[in-house]
Amino acid sequence: MTETLVPFEQVLESYDPAMGLEVHVELSTATKMFCGCPTEFGAEPNTQVCPTCLGLPGAMPVVNGKAVEAAIRIGLALNCEIAEWCRFARKNYFYPDMPKNFQTSQYDEPIAFEGYLDVEVDGETYRVEIERAHMEEDTGKATHVGGSTGRIHGATHSLIDYNRAGIPLIEIVTKPILGTGAKAPEVAKAYVATLRELVKGLGVSDVRMDQGSMRCDVNLSLAPKGSGALGTRTETKNVNSLRSVERAVRHEMSRHAGILSAGGSILQETRHFHENTGTTSSGRPKSDAEDYRYFPEPDLVPVAPSREWVEELRGTLPEPPSVRRTRLQAEWGFSDLEMRDTVGAGALELVEETIAAGAAPQAARKWWLSELARRANDTGVDIADLGVTPQQVAEVQALVDARTINDKLARQVFEGLYAGEGTPAEIVEKRGLAVVSDEGALSAAVDQAIEANPDIAEKIRGGKVQAAGALIGQIMKEMRGQADAGRVRELILEKLS
Amino acid sequence: MITRSAAELADALAAGETTSVELTRAHLDRIGAVDGTAEEGVHAFLHVDAEGALATAAESDARRAAGEPLHRLDGVPIAVKDVLTTQGMPTTCASRILEGWVPPYDATVVARIRAAGLPILGKTNMDEFAMGSSTEHSAYGPTRNPWSLDRIPGGSGGGSAAAVAAFEAPLAVGTDTGGSIRQPGAVTGTVGVKPTYGSVSRYGLVAMANSLDQAGPVTRTVLDAALLHELIGGHDPLDSTSVDAPATGFVAAAEQGATGDLAGLKVGVITELAGEGWQPGVMSRFQESVDLLAKLGAEVVEVSCPSFVHAMAAYYLVMPAEASSNLAKFDAMRYGLRVVPEGTPSAEEVMKATRDAGFGDEVKRRIIIGTYALSSGYYDAYYGQAQKVRTLISRDFAAAYDQVDVLVSPTSPSTAFPLGEKLDDPLAMYLQDLATIPANLAGVPGISVPAGLAADDGLPVGFQILAPALADDRLYRVGAALEGALTAQWGGPLLGLDKLDARIEGGK
Amino acid sequence: MPEISRDEVARLADLARIDLDDAELDHLAPQLDVILESVASIQGVAGDDVPPTSHPIPLTNVFRDDVVRPGLTPEQALAGAPEVEEQRFSVPRILGDEQ
């Protein structure tokens, strides 16, 4: 079935978008939510399991206090109210990666609720309202065998590893995000980025979208412009990067508009986002609005955080993102625009870490927002997923500062980093990128150029210093860029004065 | 030897009159002689672990020889209801869906028993997943009442009660969700205790209804029950619903009660648990016991608990709801039965076929009722309402305990009925739990003590005593007092080898 | 007017992943109807002001420390599995025919 996509700009002429973002954060606690199994990434299958997380008959859950603490801190950082009394609930449904065929979660009594997060897009602030944040457990991991692509379609059977089952998750749900208009995709992306920054600052999760420690489901609906109503929404999963969040919103808006303007109606369903095409396809049909039969978990007792404990935890919160950004901007001496661009590119933390590794603020910003941002765009990944570390960027800049290489050569070093050729210093060595520092060789090259260009040399002798540029260009070309242009200029002027 | 109480056997071991190996062997021989098969005999056991039991017994003897017994009951054999996980020994919950499943871990109750050195004779029969009042819903064949092999031994813990009544074991552990320890106790002439909810760990107790289940002692005497209760009870960090209260004072209370002085005790007879539908023979034995308590110095009054008439409805909504969720894990993916329909079925098809083949009718009934009670649109009217009725029942208990120290009633409306009589009438079966259910809903403890034989059929009658939460010691005080007085009246214990069905070795 | 119809029983059995054939449905549905009729008496018993009891004992805040506790070996975990492949639980294809 071919779908008509209404061009994005046109969508806004007739429709108002409403978004809902559900983010799952995997906590970095040492043990699982309801048992003492370790949570380390990458262990051999089924080596981090026990009767409880395996759902063996007779096993029972016991709540990880550290996870509750993390949930409360996330709630406080999101300006939420913290429940005085709440319970866990069972969400009942069958799926082979679910050891008990119910998920122990929270239903109508989340631990945190009614909060907000302010996000900035192009200098404007949008307040995203948070409906709730609650605790739940992760499922096991299924590997599908027998299909062509390792995906679930066409698989003959699946292999389940329950190491991941029971790892603590905090689910954060926004209220419908309205009034964003054409900025909807960016607001969604900025929300997830800001939320990520906030949770990372709390130290409770690695929040790596590429590793699954932060997962985002995007809900979107369109309503006729100005109607104030809410349309039928679709949910899109498999959104594994900040870029994908933006693209998923953009695509769904176009797709919904295509259906609606043709007089059709939106099917309320779950869709799957495809990274390579930026489109969505119909996912597993939600088994006729599955009735989860929620009821309070009888094997666990209520969680009633004392107000003293909540205030104690409030005292452990780091500065909120907006305050942090203001402070950093002042420290770094960035203009408002420079700061906005840095944040907008998702490079704030990276720049911060690069500076911490020794680079000057402007240099750090320059590399991340030009070279690396371009590379990220070309390869279609988030800037944080490029595989280049702030440490490495600082090393490159240090090499430039030491005049071992210049800016142009630095770009080649980055190429080497993308290719995984080693550290910046190793790459300079291997590729022979070091700037020639031998005065004799430089002098000889300058002499050669002067001899070959008598007219230009005459002009320079006559005082037209700018003419040196042409000579510098030639010499740099001769030396394959491996010369310090500044020193070359000095030598030219010395010799022709 | 096998007719002695556990306390007497413990004394005999301590005095060097016998060894644990001898004791264990004697009980294994008894099991071999009377337990029979699914078709005939008592059939209290689903699994007998002779080797393991004898090995544990030998270790116990070695410890005792070295002067280092682990516990007063060290070396006294015990049977365990097949709903509690036992590492290395099959745990089937009397269901086909767990046929042959060997758990990789022990229930906390089992771990405590092992840590005290008691040899585990084996796992006892029960209604499948503890759903029933007659043990006829076991997928492996029923257990038969040692008093009369044509009759039910009660349920769901009929196996444990029958094992103890038939002298196959001096002690057993059972579980009680709606009366599954107390009612079998009543119809087999044995003692059964449901402790305060949360006072005995549920870790390893395959859950039927999490907010109602409790493990407890099944014995022939009140003192034995107190000893076992103290052993298995107490806080468990692996069970979040476990109360932080030590399991102590029960033995002392039993010994105190045995002196026969109940002066100062106020006893409340529950008005609602009597009347039409209650077997006359049961009621007369009950009344006599009440009168006996008065003779021992207790003050007896009538107490009304009006919401008890709704207890059945509340129970048969809460319990199936929780059970329907608890039993979802049996899906052929990780352990247990897997039935693969023809062709290349999907996981879901395998789940459905397995659960249809692996669960019996009663289990299916309760899963469906439970699913219904929890489904959207019905939750408030059914499950939600039932949870509110629980509050009303708890309030009735609280109000009653403001007036009296303990409440009493007959344990069960009837004596042991014939096998098969109520199988086609689920509701009639459910009515067996009329008197026992309220305690589970409120979480308060209860005991059933033998009160004699009904005049109309000569079968055992049980007397139920209920106490406030965490006042389990009162059960033992009053129970021991009544037991003492009745035994004196009878001229000896109610239960004896010669009282049992003639077809059982040593029986009448 | 039955409390529960045969179709409803079939739907619930599906939700509970139990494959009931016609004979079973014929047998169980009337029994369930009788049971549900009797428990329906629960409606209207407790007023709106009565709070529900989900836990019979008033415990709250039972937590454990975030400390690793020994679990099962993979052999123990997989011991009862109907089928094992590459140290994982092998389960039949998850998608049904219509998916």
Side-chain angles (χ1 to χ4, degrees):
Chain A
M1 191 188 86
T2 45
E3 32 179 49
T4 334
L5 298 174
V6 170
F8 186 75
E9 306 69 34
Q10 256 180 263
V11 177
L12 278 320
E13 285 166 21
S14 319
Y15 301 103
D16 289 328
M19 301 185 288
L21 294 161
E22 284 165 25
V23 174
H24 284 86
V25 168
E26 199 179 88
L27 294 180
S28 53
T29 50
T31 61
K32 295 187 178 182
M33 185 76 222
F34 300 116
C35 67
C37 285
T39 54
E40 273 153 52
F41 190 77
E44 287 294 299
N46 294 304
T47 54
Q48 294 178 174
V49 294
C50 75
T52 297
C53 56
L54 209 49
L56 293 188
M60 293 182 73
V62 184
V63 175
N64 183 340
K66 198 91 189 151
V68 177
E69 187 186 286
I72 294 174
R73 292 176 75 229
I74 289 175
L76 288 171
L78 288 172
N79 307 290
C80 289
E81 266 186 67
I82 304 300
E84 294 202 11
W85 186 94
C86 65
R87 288 176 293 191
F88 286 92
R90 291 191 183 180
K91 180 178 183 183
N92 297 283
Y93 66 102
F94 287 80
Y95 202 74
D97 66 5
M98 303 256 293
K100 300 170 290 191
N101 285 318
F102 63 83
Q103 182 194 38
T104 304
S105 174
Q106 292 191 293
Y107 177 49
D108 51 357
E109 298 164 350
I111 189 154
F113 50 94
E114 295 295 316
Y116 62 87
L117 183 64
D118 289 335
V119 305
E120 239 187 73
V121 175
D122 295 337
E124 264 187 72
T125 304
Y126 292 84
R127 173 156 292 191
V128 175
E129 289 183 344
I130 306 291
E131 169 134 348
R132 53 187 281 151
H134 72 252
M135 302 176 279
E136 58 182 41
E137 54 178 346
D138 210 344
T139 62
K141 207 157 153 80
T143 308
H144 309 297
V145 181
S148 53
T149 55
R151 283 203 57 208
I152 199 171
H153 295 88
T156 52
H157 58 288
S158 299
L159 305 178
I160 322 271
D161 170 18
Y162 292 101
N163 282 355
R164 196 182 70 179
I167 289 188
L169 293 176
I170 306 295
E171 180 173 345
I172 301 155
V173 183
T174 67
K175 292 197 182 177
I177 303 170
L178 309 166
T180 53
K183 301 273 184 184
E186 286 104 320
V187 171
K189 179 181 170 189
Y191 167 74
V192 179
T194 311
L195 180 62
R196 190 179 165 277
E197 198 185 321
L198 181 136
V199 174
K200 185 126 198 243
L202 291 170
V204 298
S205 170
D206 295 333
V207 275
R208 293 205 37 180
M209 289 183 81
D210 58 331
Q211 274 187 358
S213 51
M214 183 174 197
R215 302 166 214 166
C216 183
D217 296 337
V218 175
N219 292 278
L220 184 109
S221 66
L222 293 180
K225 202 172 173 73
S227 68
L230 278 179
T232 304
R233 64 178 172 87
T234 55
E235 178 186 36
T236 301
K237 290 183 172 290
N238 196 46
V239 180
N240 297 331
S241 68
L242 292 172
R243 265 177 60 100
S244 298
V245 171
E246 188 178 339
R247 294 164 80 210
V249 171
R250 199 175 289 273
H251 176 81
E252 277 301 277
M253 284 175 67
S254 291
R255 195 183 68 85
H256 280 220
I259 295 172
L260 293 171
S261 45
S265 49
I266 305 294
L267 176 65
Q268 184 171 341
E269 55 168 348
T270 298
R271 297 181 69 83
H272 182 96
F273 182 73
H274 299 274
E275 286 267 351
N276 48 350
T277 56
T279 60
T280 63
S281 61
S282 216
R284 247 189 315 136
K286 274 202 158 195
S287 10
D288 51 20
E290 183 100 45
D291 181 359
Y292 294 119
R293 288 156 281 138
Y294 287 99
F295 68 100
E297 170 62 73
D299 277 346
L300 294 174
V301 297
V303 173
S306 72
R307 301 300 92 182
E308 290 75 36
W309 189 34
V310 172
E311 287 320 300
E312 197 190 301
L313 291 176
R314 198 192 297 276
T316 69
L317 296 181
E319 61 187 347
S322 52
V323 171
R324 172 165 164 260
R325 290 171 189 185
T326 307
R327 175 177 61 80
L328 289 175
Q329 184 178 341
E331 273 177 32
W332 300 340
F334 281 9
S335 70
D336 286 349
L337 183 60
E338 283 171 343
M339 196 62 188
R340 248 176 34 211
D341 286 345
T342 304
V343 171
L348 183 66
E349 207 184 294
L350 297 161
V351 165
E352 194 185 10
E353 286 172 28
T354 305
I355 295 168
Q362 285 297 346
R365 188 184 65 83
K366 179 190 77 183
W367 288 121
W368 284 105
L369 295 198
S370 59
E371 170 63 35
L372 292 157
R374 184 176 48 240
R375 173 78 182 173
N377 205 46
D378 289 347
T379 51
V381 301
D382 281 350
I383 206 172
D385 299 336
L386 273 178
V388 176
T389 69
Q391 192 67 34
Q392 287 167 335
V393 174
E395 275 176 45
V396 171
Q397 184 58 34
L399 289 168
V400 171
D401 290 339
R403 303 185 125 174
T404 307
I405 55 172
N406 55 35
D407 272 4
K408 256 199 151 133
L409 293 167
R411 297 206 155 81
Q412 292 184 55
V413 176
F414 278 111
E415 274 169 37
L417 285 172
Y418 303 146
E421 289 171 18
T423 68
E426 284 166 1
I427 293 166
V428 167
E429 173 92 38
K430 268 191 240 174
R431 289 192 177 205
L433 296 175
V435 153
V436 171
S437 48
D438 177 0
E439 279 285 310
L442 267 181
S443 191
V446 170
D447 287 339
Q448 250 190 310
I450 289 172
E451 227 184 276
N453 297 276
D455 326 305
I456 301 177
E458 207 40 57
K459 280 196 191 142
I460 296 169
R461 273 199 202 92
K464 265 200 162 179
V465 173
Q466 307 92 293
L471 281 185
I472 297 169
Q474 268 186 45
I475 294 165
M476 290 301 285
K477 202 164 156 204
E478 264 298 308
M479 304 201 66
R480 281 174 296 122
Q482 284 172 249
D484 180 355
R487 184 71 192 121
V488 166
R489 187 174 184 281
E490 276 172 16
L491 282 171
I492 292 172
L493 294 178
E494 262 174 46
K495 290 174 193 276
L496 297 175
S497 59
Chain B
M1 187 68 52
I2 58 170
T3 55
R4 295 202 202 173
S5 73
E8 287 166 346
L9 292 174
D11 289 342
L13 285 169
E17 275 173 44
T18 182
T19 63
S20 178
V21 169
E22 243 177 59
L23 264 185
T24 304
R25 202 164 269 139
H27 286 94
L28 288 168
D29 288 343
R30 176 69 176 169
I31 292 169
V34 309
D35 211 54
T37 63
E39 285 74 40
E40 43 142 323
V42 178
H43 192 234
F45 283 86
L46 290 178
H47 179 84
V48 177
D49 181 23
E51 201 181 302
L54 287 168
T56 306
E59 284 165 19
S60 173
D61 288 334
R63 271 195 297 278
R64 202 174 285 279
E68 294 163 357
L70 291 165
H71 187 271
R72 184 165 164 185
L73 293 173
D74 190 339
V76 177
I78 190 168
V80 175
K81 184 177 181 181
D82 207 18
V83 77
L84 289 154
T85 60
T86 41
Q87 186 167 6
M89 220 191 297
T91 300
T92 69
C93 303
S95 177
R96 286 283 170 213
I97 216 164
L98 275 182
E99 190 167 0
W101 181 60
V102 179
Y105 78 105
D106 274 337
T108 296
V109 164
V110 172
R112 288 180 183 179
I113 285 170
R114 290 202 213 263
L118 286 77
I120 299 177
L121 293 165
K123 310 299 290 297
T124 56
N125 201 9
M126 49 186 280
D127 281 297
E128 187 180 358
F129 285 111
M131 297 180 180
S133 310
S134 67
T135 310
E136 292 174 288
H137 293 301
S138 166
Y140 299 100
T143 295
R144 290 171 207 85
N145 194 320
W147 289 77
S148 166
L149 292 177
D150 301 310
R151 294 179 179 266
I152 55 100
S156 63
S160 285
V164 163
F167 302 98
E168 296 176 82
L171 297 168
V173 182
T175 65
D176 190 310
T177 305
S180 297
I181 288 178
R182 290 164 288 155
Q183 183 255 11
V187 304
T188 58
T190 56
V191 176
V193 179
K194 182 202 88 67
T196 297
Y197 179 84
S199 68
V200 178
S201 170
R202 287 189 298 114
Y203 185 77
L205 196 179
V206 180
M208 190 212 333
N210 328 60
S211 71
L212 305 170
D213 296 338
Q214 264 302 269
V218 174
T219 62
R220 292 192 289 268
T221 70
V222 172
L223 177 61
D224 282 355
L227 283 165
L228 185 52
H229 190 163
E230 283 190 13
L231 171 56
I232 60 176
H235 183 252
D236 182 11
L238 293 174
D239 175 352
S240 298
T241 60
S242 168
V243 170
D244 199 357
T248 53
F250 309 143
V251 173
E255 284 164 349
Q256 198 226 345
T259 63
D261 179 12
L262 292 180
L265 182 81
K266 283 182 85 168
V267 175
V269 175
I270 304 170
T271 319
E272 285 75 13
L273 297 179
E276 202 191 302
W278 295 75
Q279 187 178 328
V282 166
M283 292 316 295
S284 46
R285 285 289 90 86
F286 171 69
Q287 195 53 55
E288 282 163 20
S289 294
V290 171
D291 295 340
L292 246 187
L293 291 180
K295 271 210 198 87
L296 294 176
E299 188 190 327
V300 180
V301 297
E302 257 211 28
V303 177
S304 173
C305 298
S307 58
F308 279 25
V309 299
H310 302 295
M312 285 283 299
Y315 177 79
Y316 279 100
L317 283 167
V318 170
M319 176 272 297
E322 293 180 6
S324 69
S325 177
N326 292 328
L327 295 183
K329 59 175 56 72
F330 300 104
D331 65 357
M333 300 293 118
R334 289 163 293 284
Y335 44 79
L337 184 70
R338 179 182 279 189
V339 170
V340 183
E342 259 183 64
T344 49
S346 65
E348 200 167 288
E349 285 163 343
V350 169
M351 282 185 196
K352 286 177 167 177
T354 302
R355 289 160 68 79
D356 183 48
F359 288 143
D361 276 0
E362 184 60 34
V363 172
K364 286 175 182 160
R365 273 191 287 270
R366 298 199 193 189
I367 288 176
I368 292 175
I369 290 176
T371 306
Y372 182 76
L374 290 175
S375 39
S376 83
Y378 296 111
Y379 181 98
D380 287 332
Y382 289 108
Y383 187 75
Q385 271 293 306
Q387 295 287 52
K388 288 183 172 205
V389 169
R390 280 183 86 161
T391 305
L392 293 179
I393 291 173
S394 293
R395 287 180 183 174
D396 276 1
F397 269 114
Y401 290 131
D402 271 345
Q403 299 174 54
V404 300
D405 300 309
V406 295
L407 291 164
V408 297
S409 79
T411 305
S412 174
S414 74
T415 55
F417 47 87
L419 287 158
E421 185 182 271
K422 299 192 199 292
L423 263 185
D424 289 326
D425 191 349
L427 260 191
M429 190 72 87
Y430 295 166
L431 287 169
Q432 295 306 303
D433 298 330
L434 260 183
T436 46
I437 276 171
N440 299 86
L441 289 169
V444 301
I447 189 173
S448 178
V449 177
L453 305 177
D456 32 24
D457 55 23
L459 293 166
V461 173
F463 184 90
Q464 176 175 242
I465 304 159
L466 301 168
L470 296 177
D472 303 47
D473 55 305
R474 294 185 201 178
L475 303 177
Y476 292 105
R477 180 182 172 212
V478 181
L482 183 62
E483 177 189 64
L486 284 172
T487 309
Q489 241 177 44
W490 299 325
L494 182 69
L495 191 57
L497 272 176
D498 57 333
K499 300 278 186 52
L500 304 182
D501 189 301
R503 289 164 283 182
I504 298 177
E505 192 181 287
K508 55 181 182 282
Chain C
M1 173 60 190
E3 285 289 325
I4 190 165
S5 67
R6 195 176 177 282
D7 282 345
E8 182 74 0
V9 174
R11 188 188 73 85
L12 291 167
D14 207 60
L15 204 50
R17 301 299 185 269
I18 303 176
D19 202 6
L20 295 179
D21 61 27
D22 284 332
E24 284 184 286
L25 279 171
D26 288 337
H27 174 64
L28 289 175
Q31 288 179 332
L32 290 166
D33 193 55
V34 167
I35 296 168
L36 278 171
E37 206 184 294
S38 96
V39 299
S41 66
I42 200 108
Q43 296 180 46
V45 168
D48 288 333
D49 57 319
V50 179
T53 298
S54 56
H55 298 89
I57 33 133
L59 281 178
T60 59
N61 294 336
V62 174
F63 302 141
R64 66 177 167 80
D65 292 335
D66 191 24
V67 172
V68 172
R69 216 184 141 251
L72 298 172
T73 64
E75 292 72 38
Q76 286 176 311
L78 295 159
E83 222 170 302
V84 176
E85 194 181 309
E86 292 176 18
Q87 201 166 285
R88 278 175 277 201
F89 295 84
S90 175
V91 306
R93 60 186 175 89
I94 295 178
L95 286 187
D97 290 321
E98 70 287 354
Q99 289 162 330

